[in-house]
Structure formats: structure tokens, C-alpha cells
Amino acid sequence: VRYAIDIYQTWSGRFFSSLLIGAAFHGYVGFSLSSVILGLSFMAIPFLALIPIKKRHGNPSVALFIVLVMYLFGLRPLIDEAVFWPTGGWVYVFCLFAYAVWLILYREYLKHYRKIFGLLLALSGVLIGTANEQLSCPFILLAALAYKESRRAALRERVGIPRREWAAMVPIAALLVGTIVLIAAPGNYARAGVLGPPVDQGILQKIFSLVRNFLMLSFDLLTRSVLAVIAGGLAGFLVWIVDAFGAKKAIDAKSAFSLSALFLVSAILTLLPLVPFYAFHAPRTRFFGAVFLFFAAALLAYGLMRTISESAARSVTPKTRVLFLSLFPSLVAAATVFFLKTGLAYDFRTVVVGSAY
């Protein structure tokens, strides 16, 4: 606790992350268990992401295995700093795991509205809200959309949830309070003095610099996430194939496109807290965006295949379908090998910058 308070005052408002690091490094046992806990947290994220559609899927175990394998393959270039480096692991992968667990518990709370459950969610929301500023906006957005979805379902089924809107909003408000505590930390201002823009810049120059930083960060995220996007697209395609042989479908095409857009927006939101810090562009800061882009690509590929298959079922002959199914995996495999061999999956910027000279 003393370490977390000191970091909060002098360098960063990530109180929850600092608390975890202080506990993990307090003794030999905690330090030894860090890699195990962080590795399991990293592997648990696809499980948590698929919970909402698991019950509706005809082959959930097969689909989960496909997504997990592609997830491990696609995020491989970023896991050194964001998972297996203990300090970075507690700040990045475990915080993402904690936010995801909190969101799932909040979705369950919206079904039952138990007072003790809501109180625990609110208290944990304040603490988790101080975990990482890159995740604050995406998960506040996801929690608000979960509440909106539950309210719409309640109105459709004429359940009494609208009369308890305040109870549904308390955990989200607690998460927002935690985010405010994170942003208002004295350590953030101290860090901004070291890594932030020069104080003598004019207003227009600052605006130009912020826009330039955002564009550079977005390009950097895309180039570092090439492998994650390819792996996500392949995962969505393979899950669609599994669905083709099952009686149940995981999700309709329209919902897949909506969720894909939501994950894409979440990936962009993870970059906003980095824009004011000119001198801090470590690869691990793109970890959250790469995870969101992986699921965005998977859902987009799945939705496209559902749309194509449903429209083609009425006009395409069986021979054409067999030909398409045989060619598409070959094209994906060839593209993957190309990106790996040319180094584009690891650092696309070196190819672009090198060609410019």
C-alpha cells in the first residue's frame, strides 16, 4: 500500500496496478507466482470474451479452441512486455483481465439486482477504475451499452428493471469515480512535466501536435497489430466453418458487425490517454488495442462469411461453394506466411521507413 501511495503521488495514478505490483514484489513467493498468474490471465481473456455467446453456440468447445490458438498466435509479438515482464504484466494483461471479469459480473447483476452484489461491484469498480487509463473509456462504454441492452430487454419483456435504474447506474458511476481518481493523481502531472509537450507551445501548435501524435499512434497500432488482425480474421472464418456443421449459430451477421465496430472503437479509445505524452511510445502500450483489434477482425470475418453464405445459398451451386472453401484457407495461409517472412507482422514501420530512404 505504501508503494502504491508513493507512485500515486509521484509518477502515475494507476493505484490498483501499483498495489498489485507492490504485493507481487513484496516477497519471493509473490514474485515467483507472478508469471503463472499473468500467463493464466492472458489465456483466460478469450474465455471471458466468448461467455456471452457460448450458450448459443452449437460447438462452444471447438470454437473456443480455435479462438484461443489464433489469439495466442496473433498476440505473440506483444506478450514479452505486456505479459511475461512482471511489472508490465500486472499493469496490462491482469488489468484487462480484471476489467473483463468486472464487466461480466455487472452483466449478471443486471439480471438479478442483489443489493450485496451491487455494493461489491461498486466498491470494486472504484478500485478497478484506477487500474489503467487506457481501459477506462472502453469499459465505461461497454458497461453503459450492457446496461442499455438490459434496459431494452426489460422494456420488451415488461420487467421492472426501469424502476431500478439508479441501482443499475451505481456500479458504472463507481467505475467513473475510480477513473476520476486515476486522472486527478498528482503523479500524472509530475509525469506530464517529464514526458509531456513543451510548455512554451501556442494553442494552435499544441492542437497540431496532439493530432499528429494521435495519427502516429494509430499507424503504430495498426502496424504492430497486423498479425493479430490476420489471426482474428482466420479465427472468425474457422468458427464460421464450425458453425456451418452445427445446428445452432453463435451470432447473426448484424450483431457480429455491431460488435466488431464496438471493438474497433474500443481499440481507438485505448490510444487517447497516450496522445499528450510525446516521449512514451513503448510497444506494450499497444497491447490493449491489439487485443480489441483481434476480436474486431474475428467478428468482422465471421459476419462477412455469414452474409456471403446466406446470400450465396440461394444462387451459388454446391460445386462453387466447395471451390471457395478450398481456396480461401490457402489464400489466408499464403498471406500469413508472406507477412511473417517479410517481417511486416512484427515491425511494418521498418519496411515503410526503409523504402522511403
Side-chain angles (χ1 to χ4, degrees), residues 267-297:
I268 295 173
L269 291 177
T270 63
L271 299 178
L272 296 183
L274 302 176
V275 172
F277 297 101
Y278 285 34
F280 189 68
H281 300 292
R284 60 183 176 273
T285 59
R286 314 302 186 269
F287 173 74
F288 299 135
V291 172
F292 286 130
L293 287 178
F294 169 84
F295 289 110

Side-chain angles (χ1 to χ4, degrees), residues 7 11 32 44 52 65 74 110-111 142 153 191 197 225 264 273 317 342 354:
I7 293 296
W11 186 249
S32 301
F65 175 77
L110 292 175
K111 300 177 183 177
L142 292 172
R191 183 172 58 164
S225 304
L264 178 60
T317 63
T342 56

Side-chain angles (χ1 to χ4, degrees), residues 6-333:
D6 181 61
I7 293 296
Y8 185 83
Q9 294 288 338
T10 60
W11 186 249
S12 173
R14 299 169 181 172
F15 182 80
F16 181 63
S17 303
S18 301
L19 195 65
L20 293 172
I21 294 172
F25 292 171
H26 183 69
Y28 177 76
V29 176
F31 183 79
S32 301
L33 291 176
S34 291
S35 297
V36 177
I37 296 173
L38 296 175
L40 292 176
S41 301
F42 176 66
M43 295 182 66
I45 290 173
F47 290 80
L48 299 176
L50 292 180
I51 281 179
I53 64 174
K54 183 178 178 182
K55 295 180 180 179
R56 293 181 290 173
H57 200 283
N59 300 282
S61 300
V62 177
L64 182 58
F65 175 77
I66 292 172
V67 173
L68 179 60
V69 170
M70 292 296 103
Y71 169 81
L72 294 175
F73 176 70
L75 274 296
R76 186 168 59 90
L78 295 171
I79 63 176
D80 289 344
E81 289 188 3
V83 180
F84 295 117
W85 178 42
T87 302
W90 289 111
V91 173
Y92 291 95
V93 71
F94 191 83
C95 288
L96 179 59
F97 170 77
Y99 266 104
V101 171
W102 187 91
L103 182 62
I104 290 171
L105 293 177
Y106 177 68
R107 289 173 60 93
E108 292 298 317
Y109 169 69
L110 292 175
K111 300 177 183 177
H112 306 293
Y113 281 90
R114 297 190 178 119
K115 294 181 179 179
I116 300 298
F117 195 10
L119 178 61
L120 293 176
L121 273 178
L123 294 175
S124 61
V126 174
L127 185 60
I128 291 175
T130 64
N132 194 303
E133 65 277 6
Q134 286 186 263
L135 292 176
S136 298
C137 288
F139 275 91
I140 289 175
L141 174 63
L142 292 172
L145 291 176
Y147 161 70
K148 183 179 179 181
E149 178 187 355
S150 296
R151 190 176 186 276
R152 184 183 303 169
L155 292 173
R156 186 169 57 248
E157 299 171 6
R158 297 185 178 182
V159 184
I161 289 180
R163 293 178 296 178
R164 293 178 287 184
E165 289 185 3
W166 63 270
M169 296 301 296
V170 167
I172 299 180
L175 197 64
L176 182 60
V177 169
T179 302
I180 294 173
V181 172
L182 185 154
I183 295 174
N188 289 334
Y189 298 98
R191 183 172 58 164
V194 178
L195 304 176
V199 295
D200 57 347
Q201 282 188 345
I203 299 296
L204 293 178
Q205 191 175 3
K206 286 183 179 179
I207 294 175
F208 173 78
S209 298
L210 292 175
V211 173
R212 180 197 61 188
N213 281 0
F214 175 74
L215 294 176
M216 291 177 62
L217 287 168
S218 301
F219 178 75
D220 187 62
L221 172 62
L222 290 175
T223 56
R224 292 185 185 277
S225 304
V226 170
L227 191 60
V229 171
I230 292 175
L234 185 58
F237 173 74
L238 294 175
V239 171
W240 169 77
I241 292 179
V242 172
D243 271 5
F245 296 97
K248 296 181 180 179
K249 307 301 180 185
I251 190 173
D252 59 273
K254 183 178 179 181
S255 299
F257 290 141
S258 299
L259 289 173
S260 178
L262 180 59
F263 277 115
L264 178 60
V265 171
S266 299
I268 295 173
L269 291 177
T270 63
L271 299 178
L272 296 183
L274 302 176
V275 172
F277 297 101
Y278 285 34
F280 189 68
H281 300 292
R284 60 183 176 273
T285 59
R286 314 302 186 269
F287 173 74
F288 299 135
V291 172
F292 286 130
L293 287 178
F294 169 84
F295 289 110
L299 289 163
L300 178 62
Y302 180 86
L304 286 174
M305 297 311 301
R306 282 291 303 271
T307 303
I308 293 172
S309 61
E310 290 172 0
S311 60
R314 297 184 293 267
S315 57
V316 179
T317 63
K319 290 183 178 180
T320 306
R321 291 183 219 170
V322 172
L323 179 63
F324 176 77
L325 289 175
S326 62
L327 288 178
F328 189 81
S330 302
L331 292 175
V332 173

